[in-house]
Amino acid sequence: KLFASLDSEGKSTLSKEALLRFVRVYYRVLSETVISTERSIKESKTIRRLEVDEIVDVLEGPLKDESVDISRIQGRSVVDGTTGWITVVGNNGTTFLQECVPVYTVVKEIFLTSDLQVGSDTLRLLREGETLDVLEWDKKEESSGVMRMKVKARSDDGAVGWVTKASTDDVAFLKLCAPP
Protein backbone atom coordinates (compact mmCIF):
# COMPACT_ATOMS: atom_id res chain seq x y z
CA LYS A 1 0.00 0.00 0.00
CA LEU A 2 2.85 2.41 0.74
CA PHE A 3 4.36 2.02 -2.73
CA ALA A 4 0.94 2.39 -4.36
CA SER A 5 0.41 5.69 -2.54
CA LEU A 6 3.83 6.95 -3.69
CA ASP A 7 3.22 5.81 -7.30
CA SER A 8 0.89 8.72 -8.13
CA GLU A 9 1.44 8.25 -11.86
CA GLY A 10 0.43 4.55 -11.81
CA LYS A 11 3.59 3.41 -13.61
CA SER A 12 4.70 0.73 -11.09
CA THR A 13 7.96 2.63 -10.70
CA LEU A 14 8.99 5.48 -8.47
CA SER A 15 10.57 8.39 -10.31
CA LYS A 16 13.27 10.52 -8.73
CA GLU A 17 10.82 13.46 -8.71
CA ALA A 18 8.17 11.40 -6.89
CA LEU A 19 10.66 10.33 -4.23
CA LEU A 20 11.94 13.88 -3.78
CA ARG A 21 8.38 15.10 -3.10
CA PHE A 22 8.56 13.21 0.20
CA VAL A 23 11.97 14.43 1.37
CA ARG A 24 11.94 18.04 0.23
CA VAL A 25 11.48 20.83 2.72
CA TYR A 26 9.42 23.89 1.81
CA TYR A 27 9.09 27.26 3.47
CA ARG A 28 6.29 29.80 3.08
CA VAL A 29 7.04 33.54 3.11
CA LEU A 30 5.32 35.10 6.15
CA SER A 31 6.76 38.60 5.82
CA GLU A 32 8.07 40.29 2.67
CA THR A 33 11.78 39.65 2.29
CA VAL A 34 14.42 39.35 -0.41
CA ILE A 35 16.25 36.54 -2.13
CA SER A 36 19.91 37.45 -2.46
CA THR A 37 23.16 36.26 -4.04
CA GLU A 38 25.32 35.21 -1.06
CA ARG A 39 25.00 33.33 2.22
CA SER A 40 26.66 36.20 4.09
CA ILE A 41 24.17 39.06 4.16
CA LYS A 42 26.98 41.64 4.28
CA GLU A 43 28.38 40.52 0.90
CA SER A 44 25.01 39.85 -0.72
CA LYS A 45 23.08 41.69 -3.42
CA THR A 46 19.30 41.51 -3.82
CA ILE A 47 18.03 39.35 -6.70
CA ARG A 48 14.32 40.10 -6.14
CA ARG A 49 11.63 40.49 -3.48
CA LEU A 50 9.65 37.49 -2.26
CA GLU A 51 5.95 38.07 -1.67
CA VAL A 52 3.90 36.90 1.32
CA ASP A 53 2.64 33.30 0.83
CA GLU A 54 5.25 32.55 -1.86
CA ILE A 55 6.72 29.05 -1.47
CA VAL A 56 10.45 28.30 -1.42
CA ASP A 57 12.04 24.87 -1.95
CA VAL A 58 14.98 24.52 0.49
CA LEU A 59 18.30 23.57 -1.12
CA GLU A 60 20.53 24.11 1.94
CA GLY A 61 20.10 25.15 5.54
CA PRO A 62 18.90 26.77 7.62
CA LEU A 63 22.37 28.02 8.55
CA LYS A 64 23.24 30.58 11.19
CA ASP A 65 25.15 33.71 10.10
CA GLU A 66 26.90 34.44 13.39
CA SER A 67 28.28 37.82 12.27
CA VAL A 68 24.78 39.35 12.24
CA ASP A 69 22.87 36.71 14.28
CA ILE A 70 20.43 35.58 11.58
CA SER A 71 19.34 32.24 10.16
CA ARG A 72 19.34 31.78 6.36
CA ILE A 73 18.53 29.12 3.78
CA GLN A 74 19.53 28.66 0.19
CA GLY A 75 16.28 28.16 -1.66
CA ARG A 76 14.47 28.20 -4.99
CA SER A 77 11.17 29.99 -5.54
CA VAL A 78 8.55 27.57 -6.87
CA VAL A 79 6.96 30.46 -8.78
CA ASP A 80 9.84 31.30 -11.11
CA GLY A 81 12.83 29.16 -10.13
CA THR A 82 14.86 32.08 -8.76
CA THR A 83 17.61 30.64 -6.54
CA GLY A 84 19.46 32.42 -3.78
CA TRP A 85 19.80 33.00 -0.04
CA ILE A 86 16.88 34.03 2.16
CA THR A 87 16.69 35.06 5.82
CA VAL A 88 14.45 32.76 7.89
CA VAL A 89 14.67 34.68 11.17
CA GLY A 90 16.14 38.18 11.38
CA ASN A 91 18.40 39.54 14.12
CA ASN A 92 15.49 41.37 15.78
CA GLY A 93 13.39 38.17 15.92
CA THR A 94 11.23 38.76 12.84
CA THR A 95 10.22 35.45 11.23
CA PHE A 96 10.28 35.82 7.44
CA LEU A 97 9.86 32.14 6.49
CA GLN A 98 8.01 29.23 8.09
CA GLU A 99 8.29 25.56 7.22
CA CYS A 100 5.18 24.26 5.44
CA VAL A 101 3.85 21.12 3.81
CA PRO A 102 2.93 21.16 0.09
CA VAL A 103 -0.77 20.61 0.75
CA TYR A 104 -3.63 22.89 -0.25
CA THR A 105 -7.29 23.02 0.77
CA VAL A 106 -10.03 23.86 -1.74
CA VAL A 107 -11.76 27.05 -0.54
CA LYS A 108 -14.02 27.51 -3.58
CA GLU A 109 -15.24 24.76 -5.92
CA ILE A 110 -13.05 24.40 -9.00
CA PHE A 111 -12.62 21.85 -11.79
CA LEU A 112 -9.72 19.41 -11.85
CA THR A 113 -8.58 19.07 -15.47
CA SER A 114 -6.39 16.63 -17.38
CA ASP A 115 -3.78 19.13 -18.61
CA LEU A 116 -2.22 22.51 -17.85
CA GLN A 117 -4.55 24.22 -20.35
CA VAL A 118 -7.68 25.61 -18.69
CA GLY A 119 -9.93 24.20 -21.42
CA SER A 120 -8.61 20.62 -21.18
CA ASP A 121 -10.88 17.71 -20.26
CA THR A 122 -12.58 18.01 -16.88
CA LEU A 123 -11.79 15.08 -14.60
CA ARG A 124 -14.12 16.10 -11.78
CA LEU A 125 -15.26 18.96 -9.56
CA LEU A 126 -13.13 19.63 -6.48
CA ARG A 127 -15.38 20.47 -3.53
CA GLU A 128 -14.77 23.00 -0.79
CA GLY A 129 -12.72 21.45 2.03
CA GLU A 130 -10.95 18.81 -0.08
CA THR A 131 -7.19 18.54 0.43
CA LEU A 132 -4.68 18.31 -2.39
CA ASP A 133 -1.03 17.23 -2.50
CA VAL A 134 1.14 19.29 -4.86
CA LEU A 135 2.82 17.22 -7.59
CA GLU A 136 4.02 20.13 -9.76
CA TRP A 137 4.22 23.72 -8.57
CA ASP A 138 2.90 26.91 -10.15
CA LYS A 139 2.90 27.10 -13.93
CA LYS A 140 1.40 29.98 -15.85
CA GLU A 141 -1.26 28.91 -18.33
CA GLU A 142 -0.50 31.19 -21.28
CA SER A 143 -3.97 31.62 -22.84
CA SER A 144 -5.63 32.75 -19.59
CA GLY A 145 -2.66 34.02 -17.58
CA VAL A 146 -3.70 32.08 -14.45
CA MET A 147 -1.34 30.06 -12.27
CA ARG A 148 -2.06 26.31 -12.20
CA MET A 149 -0.65 23.35 -10.30
CA LYS A 150 -0.66 19.62 -10.81
CA VAL A 151 -2.19 18.01 -7.73
CA LYS A 152 -3.39 14.71 -6.30
CA ALA A 153 -6.63 14.66 -4.32
CA ARG A 154 -6.37 13.07 -0.87
CA SER A 155 -9.86 11.63 -1.34
CA ASP A 156 -10.63 7.96 -1.98
CA ASP A 157 -10.35 8.36 -5.76
CA GLY A 158 -6.86 9.94 -5.56
CA ALA A 159 -7.61 11.93 -8.71
CA VAL A 160 -4.57 13.55 -10.34
CA GLY A 161 -4.84 16.62 -12.56
CA TRP A 162 -4.39 20.37 -12.91
CA VAL A 163 -6.14 23.08 -10.91
CA THR A 164 -6.23 26.89 -10.98
CA LYS A 165 -5.00 28.55 -7.76
CA ALA A 166 -6.90 31.83 -8.22
CA SER A 167 -8.96 33.56 -10.91
CA THR A 168 -7.59 36.48 -12.94
CA ASP A 169 -9.43 38.85 -10.56
CA ASP A 170 -7.71 37.21 -7.53
CA VAL A 171 -10.58 35.04 -6.28
CA ALA A 172 -8.75 32.21 -4.46
CA PHE A 173 -9.75 28.61 -5.15
CA LEU A 174 -7.00 27.06 -2.99
CA LYS A 175 -5.39 27.89 0.33
CA LEU A 176 -2.09 26.52 1.64
CA CYS A 177 -2.68 24.29 4.67
CA ALA A 178 -1.30 25.12 8.10
CA PRO A 179 2.38 24.44 8.84
CA PRO A 180 3.44 20.93 9.96
Side-chain angles (χ1 to χ4, degrees):
K1 285 199 169 231
L2 175 62
F3 181 79
S5 70
L6 297 176
D7 182 26
S8 62
E9 298 165 4
K11 295 181 179 176
S12 297
T13 62
L14 191 58
S15 68
K16 178 182 174 183
E17 193 60 35
L19 178 63
L20 287 174
R21 272 196 300 274
F22 296 96
V23 296
R24 281 195 173 129
V25 176
Y26 295 97
Y27 277 73
R28 182 182 96 184
V29 177
L30 295 179
S31 219
E32 250 190 42
T33 189
V34 297
I35 189 164
S36 56
T37 58
E38 305 297 325
R39 177 178 167 195
S40 168
I41 203 160
K42 291 179 179 179
E43 301 162 11
S44 204
K45 295 190 184 334
T46 297
I47 297 171
R48 76 169 180 84
R49 294 201 74 72
L50 293 171
E51 296 180 22
V52 172
D53 288 335
E54 194 167 334
I55 304 297
V56 176
D57 180 7
V58 177
L59 304 175
E60 184 179 352
L63 303 170
K64 192 92 165 156
D65 184 341
E66 300 295 342
S67 66
V68 287
D69 194 31
I70 60 171
S71 178
R72 289 172 57 85
I73 62 163
Q74 183 180 34
R76 177 179 36 243
S77 166
V78 301
V79 173
D80 63 6
T82 300
T83 300
W85 289 89
I86 310 152
T87 301
V88 177
V89 178
N91 57 5
N92 63 357
T94 303
T95 301
F96 295 102
L97 302 177
Q98 180 180 46
E99 191 172 336
C100 69
V101 292
V103 176
Y104 280 79
T105 301
V106 177
V107 293
K108 185 171 173 52
E109 288 185 346
I110 183 75
F111 288 110
L112 182 70
T113 64
S114 59
D115 289 304
L116 174 63
Q117 293 72 28
V118 172
S120 61
D121 293 339
T122 297
L123 301 174
R124 74 175 180 85
L125 181 66
L126 295 172
R127 304 253 180 227
E128 196 172 310
E130 280 193 68
T131 53
L132 310 169
D133 291 316
V134 177
L135 301 179
E136 288 184 41
W137 287 98
D138 305 26
K139 293 192 191 272
K140 188 173 187 175
E141 199 274 340
E142 294 304 323
S143 68
S144 64
V146 296
M147 296 302 278
R148 294 182 42 91
M149 295 187 305
K150 188 173 185 182
V151 297
K152 178 179 181 180
R154 286 193 168 184
S155 58
D156 289 341
D157 72 352
V160 174
W162 290 85
V163 65
T164 302
K165 287 178 72 173
S167 67
T168 53
D169 55 350
D170 286 331
V171 173
F173 297 113
L174 307 176
K175 178 183 175 200
L176 190 63
C177 288

